[in-house]
Amino acid sequence: MSPEKRPQPQPSRNSASRSRPANRGPKHRLGRNLMALALLLGLLGIGWKALAYFGFVPEGGDGGRIIALHPEVRQKSDQLVAQAAKKGIEVVITSDFRGVEEQDELYRQGREKPGNIVTNARGGQSYHNFGLAIDFALRDESDRIVWDMELDRSGNGRSDWREVVELAKDLGFEWGGDWSNFPDYPHLQITFGYTLRQLQNGKYPAGSAVERKQPEPNSSD
């Protein structure tokens, strides 16, 4: 005999209707929409802050334009010259703050004007333009300003140039000679963690020498 086939229980309509989630109405949908909107606004805020951090959008820029070397960079520059002198090395600061027009003129050298190419930065694309960089050279025994990286005027068997770079790094400078794409051996800079995009958007380190716009006098009848 074949085993008895028992009918399988079928869910009743009432039980199926009880298992469905109840319609919670427009108030519930409104609450969910508000939560989604708040989450979206929060994400947009985080994204804006991130873009501002990397300089893609302005974030409360100080306004005005930089007109001189940052005071702390100048102080470190003076310290570098003094520390090198104690080693018998005479450092000459050949450039510090550089305006946009001057930077553009330097960029033309070796391209539109005679001379060697000395920079790949146009106006506004160099830390010099924001008072955060200096260039240096050495003075040799003949009182000439030279860019001789093998000079050993101190007579200790080491390159004077490398000794100056070591002193500069100890003071917090970044050396352009470490750049792989376009080494700039006379270049030293302190960026305070600011990117060029941030600086271009008017976000400057505290203490920067900024030219403030003078308020226009109120006209009287």
Side-chain angles (χ1 to χ4, degrees):
M1 295 179 60
S2 60
E4 182 181 359
K5 293 184 179 179
R6 296 180 182 178
Q8 297 296 320
Q10 299 294 327
S12 66
R13 292 183 179 179
N14 291 336
S15 62
S17 62
R18 285 196 300 267
S19 64
R20 294 197 194 103
N23 186 357
R24 298 183 184 180
K27 288 185 177 181
H28 176 69
R29 290 194 296 273
L30 177 61
R32 291 179 60 185
N33 290 340
L34 289 175
M35 287 179 61
L37 179 61
L39 178 61
L40 178 60
L41 290 175
L43 292 174
L44 287 174
I46 293 172
W48 183 269
K49 285 286 186 183
L51 288 172
Y53 176 80
F54 290 104
F56 289 98
V57 294
E59 184 194 25
D62 297 323
R65 64 186 180 94
I66 301 295
I67 56 174
L69 194 65
H70 191 285
E72 187 171 337
V73 179
R74 183 173 298 282
Q75 180 188 16
K76 300 283 188 181
S77 172
D78 292 341
Q79 287 180 273
L80 176 63
V81 173
Q83 290 180 10
K86 291 180 180 179
K87 291 177 171 286
I89 304 170
E90 189 170 355
V91 172
V92 179
I93 304 302
T94 58
S95 179
D96 46 37
F97 169 74
R98 192 184 297 147
V100 171
E101 296 81 6
E102 185 181 355
Q103 184 71 38
D104 282 334
E105 192 70 15
L106 193 62
Y107 180 82
R108 293 187 188 99
Q109 181 176 317
R111 295 178 174 89
E112 304 171 18
K113 296 172 56 180
N116 297 324
I117 292 178
V118 293
T119 182
N120 279 339
R122 297 177 184 269
Q125 298 177 348
S126 169
Y127 280 99
H128 282 283
N129 309 146
F130 302 98
L132 303 179
I134 61 174
D135 290 338
F136 77 96
L138 303 176
R139 195 179 296 277
D140 67 8
E141 296 88 345
S142 302
D143 205 36
R144 298 176 304 171
I145 296 176
V146 296
W147 288 262
D148 184 355
M149 295 184 64
E150 303 302 324
L151 181 67
D152 180 21
R153 190 175 179 185
S154 61
N156 62 358
R158 299 184 60 199
S159 160
D160 290 351
W161 196 279
R162 294 287 179 177
E163 288 191 77
V164 172
V165 169
E166 289 176 7
L167 292 173
K169 288 184 176 181
D170 288 341
L171 289 168
F173 282 98
E174 174 188 348
W175 182 41
D178 288 330
W179 300 341
S180 58
N181 55 342
F182 188 84
D184 191 352
Y185 298 105
H187 182 93
L188 299 168
Q189 64 184 34
I190 298 178
T191 68
F192 300 99
Y194 283 73
T195 65
L196 277 173
R197 285 190 179 274
Q198 286 176 303
L199 296 168
Q200 290 162 356
N201 281 323
K203 188 73 173 176
Y204 307 136
S208 294
V210 182
E211 181 185 53
R212 303 291 183 182
K213 292 182 179 180
Q214 297 296 327
E216 296 182 2
N218 294 328
S219 59
S220 56
D221 296 333

